[in-house]
Amino acid sequence: MADIVWEEAFCGEGASCYRIGVDGDGKSYIAVAGAEAAYLTDTMDALRQLIRDIKAGRADHLLAD
């Protein structure tokens, strides 16, 4: 397994922080900050599509109070 390069954490106000990472083998990773050993992994293409979908509002229903 290649080394994971983690981005700075994405944090909400008073919420858990998430980190996104990549490795040299073309894999992407998402983890809760402080628990990076328990990550979710997929391809870089899957991460790109996830980010596109979030930006397009396809996950907005998850933010409803």
Side-chain angles (χ1 to χ4, degrees):
M1 179 176 92
D3 289 329
I4 302 169
V5 178
W6 293 102
E7 295 288 323
E8 290 296 318
F10 295 90
C11 299
E13 196 172 311
S16 296
C17 300
Y18 293 93
R19 295 189 74 187
I20 296 175
V22 297
D23 70 16
D25 293 333
K27 294 180 183 169
S28 63
Y29 302 82
I30 299 175
V32 173
E36 287 83 356
Y39 53 76
L40 170 72
T41 186
D42 208 324
T43 63
M44 288 293 294
D45 286 338
L47 176 60
R48 282 185 198 98
Q49 189 60 50
L50 174 66
I51 292 169
R52 285 184 194 115
D53 287 347
I54 290 170
K55 289 173 72 174
R58 292 189 181 100
D60 286 356
H61 64 282
L62 298 172
L63 303 175
D65 290 336

